[in-house]
C-alpha cells in the first residue's frame, strides 16, 4: 500500500512539473512571437535573442522556435503585450502580460490582487519607477575581464556570489558577444525591468501574490521594487 501511495505522489509531482514546464514553454513561445514582430533577426534584436536562448534552455525544438519567429514577423496572431500595475502597501508591482484576451487576463489579475488586499494602479503610476535594462550574469572570478567593456556597462552589482552587468537593452547583444570572445563564461542574460527607487521588505504575502500572478498563463513576468539582495559595486 505504501509503495502504491509513494508512486501516486511521484506521478502527481511529475504531472505538476510537466504542466509547469509546458506553461513556461508556452510563455516563451509567445515572447518570441512578440519580439519577432519588431525584428526577426536575433543578432539585431536582444529581446528576441534572450527569448530564444531561454527557450533553448527548456529544450524547445528549433522547429518550434522558427515557427514562432515566422508567426511573429508575419503578424499571424492576436497577441498583445500589456503592462498592468499594482500596489501592496509600499510595494510596487509591474505585471507584464502577453495575451490574446485582455479582458480575461485583467479579470484574473484583479481576482488575485483582491484576494491579497492589494490595489490595481492607474497606468503609469508604477511603471515610471522601472527602467528596462539588459542583464548579463557572470562568475565573480571573471569580473576583471568584464571591466574591459565598461563602455557597454552602466552598472555592476553582486548577487548571490555572481556579478550582474547592467547595460542598455540595445547594447546587450554586443556586450554578450564581447564577453564570449574574451572567454568569459556567461551564466545567464536577460531583459529586466529594474526599479529606480526600492524598498526593503520581507513580506510573505507579497511573495505569495507574485507567485500566484506568475501562475497565470498570460503573465509573462512580474517585477517589484523590493530589494532581496542587491549589493551595488559600481555606478
Amino acid at each position: 500500500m505504501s509503495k502504491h501511495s509513494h508512486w501516486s505522489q511521484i506521478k502527481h509531482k511529475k504531472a505538476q512539473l510537466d504542466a509547469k514546464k509546458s506553461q513556461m514553454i508556452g510563455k516563451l513561445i509567445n515572447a518570441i512571437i512578440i519580439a519577432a514582430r519588431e525584428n526577426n533577426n536575433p543578432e539585431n534584436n536582444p529581446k528576441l535573442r534572450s527569448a530564444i536562448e531561454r527557450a533553448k534552455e527548456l529544450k524547445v525544438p528549433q522547429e518550434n522556435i522558427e515557427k514562432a519567429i515566422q508567426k511573429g514577423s508575419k503578424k499571424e496572431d492576436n497577441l498583445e503585450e500589456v503592462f498592468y500595475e499594482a500596489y501592496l502597501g509600499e510595494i510596487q508591482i509591474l505585471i507584464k502580460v502577453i495575451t490574446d484576451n485582455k479582458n480575461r487576463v485583467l479579470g484574473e489579475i484583479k481576482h488575485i490582487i483582491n484576494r491579497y488586499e492589494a490595489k490595481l494602479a492607474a497606468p503609469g503610476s508604477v511603471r515610471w519607477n522601472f527602467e528596462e535594462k539588459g542583464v548579463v550574469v557572470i562568475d565573480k572570478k571573471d569580473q576583471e575581464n568584464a571591466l574591459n567593456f565598461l563602455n557597454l556597462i552602466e552598472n555592476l552589482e553582486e548577487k548571490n556570489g555572481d556579478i550582474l552587468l547592467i547595460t542598455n537593452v540595445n547594447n546587450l547583444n554586443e556586450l554578450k558577444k564581447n564577453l564570449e570572445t574574451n572567454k568569459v563564461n556567461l551564466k545567464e542574460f536577460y531583459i529586466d525591468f529594474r526599479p529606480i527607487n526600492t524598498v526593503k521588505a520581507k513580506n510573505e504575502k507579497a511573495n505569495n501574490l507574485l507567485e500566484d500572478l506568475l501562475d497565470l498563463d498570460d503573465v509573462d513576468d512580474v517585477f517589484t521594487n523590493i530589494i532581496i539582495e542587491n549589493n551595488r559595486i559600481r555606478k
Side-chain angles (χ1 to χ4, degrees):
M1 184 68 180
S2 62
K3 287 184 179 179
H4 174 74
S5 175
H6 179 61
W7 174 237
S8 295
Q9 290 176 9
I10 290 174
K11 285 197 296 183
H12 179 64
K13 287 180 180 179
K14 184 180 184 303
Q16 287 181 319
L17 289 173
D18 288 345
K20 196 74 175 177
K21 183 178 178 181
S22 177
Q23 184 193 54
M24 290 175 66
I25 289 173
K27 291 184 180 187
L28 287 171
I29 290 296
N30 286 345
I32 290 171
I33 291 171
I34 287 290
R37 284 183 184 171
E38 300 175 16
N39 182 341
N40 63 8
N41 183 355
E43 295 303 314
N44 302 323
N45 185 342
K47 292 182 182 180
L48 179 57
R49 180 70 176 269
S50 176
I52 290 172
E53 292 294 332
R54 287 160 59 201
K56 287 181 177 179
E57 287 177 10
L58 284 180
K59 311 297 184 188
V60 177
Q62 182 64 29
E63 180 184 359
N64 293 11
I65 292 172
E66 290 174 359
K67 284 182 179 178
I69 294 172
Q70 183 179 30
K71 192 173 184 179
S73 60
K74 291 184 176 180
K75 298 181 173 60
E76 297 175 343
D77 61 85
N78 297 316
L79 291 176
E80 294 182 77
E81 183 179 86
V82 188
F83 287 86
Y84 295 104
E85 304 167 42
Y87 283 100
L88 179 62
E90 62 181 344
I91 298 170
Q92 296 177 328
I93 304 168
L94 182 63
I95 308 162
K96 181 183 176 184
V97 167
I98 298 177
T99 184
D100 60 0
N101 190 328
K102 289 193 293 185
N103 290 333
R104 183 195 66 232
V105 72
L106 179 57
E108 293 171 344
I109 288 171
K110 282 181 177 178
H111 178 72
I112 291 173
I113 284 175
N114 291 338
R115 189 196 312 158
Y116 287 94
E117 300 177 327
K119 294 181 179 179
L120 203 64
S125 58
V126 165
R127 189 168 177 177
W128 69 267
N129 191 38
F130 291 82
E131 296 180 309
E132 191 174 24
K133 297 293 181 183
V135 181
V136 179
V137 183
I138 65 173
D139 195 280
K140 195 171 183 178
K141 64 180 175 59
D142 290 322
Q143 179 180 341
E144 189 172 339
N145 286 336
L147 295 179
N148 293 323
F149 308 105
L150 282 178
N151 61 312
L152 298 173
I153 298 171
E154 296 182 359
N155 198 7
L156 278 77
E157 298 174 2
E158 183 175 349
K159 185 174 182 179
N160 299 330
D162 293 328
I163 300 297
L164 276 60
L165 310 178
I166 315 302
T167 184
N168 184 291
V169 171
N170 293 329
N171 292 333
L172 181 58
N173 279 356
E174 184 179 355
L175 176 59
K176 178 179 179 292
K177 287 179 183 177
N178 286 337
L179 292 169
E180 289 173 334
T181 300
N182 281 263
K183 310 302 182 185
V184 175
N185 180 43
L186 308 187
K187 290 191 170 183
E188 192 178 4
F189 74 100
Y190 53 91
I191 310 292
D192 194 15
F193 280 85
R194 303 176 62 77
I196 300 168
N197 302 308
T198 57
V199 296
K200 292 182 179 179
K202 286 187 177 181
N203 191 317
E204 186 175 349
K205 180 190 280 189
N207 289 337
N208 292 336
L209 167 58
L210 300 181
E211 287 179 7
D212 283 355
L213 287 171
L214 284 168
D215 277 342
L216 294 176
D217 288 340
D218 291 353
V219 172
D220 180 66
D221 213 339
V222 180
F223 310 93
T224 77
N225 62 335
I226 301 173
I227 295 177
I228 298 175
E229 181 182 349
N230 191 16
N231 301 319
R232 190 166 292 168
I233 296 175
R234 176 188 177 90
K235 185 171 182 179

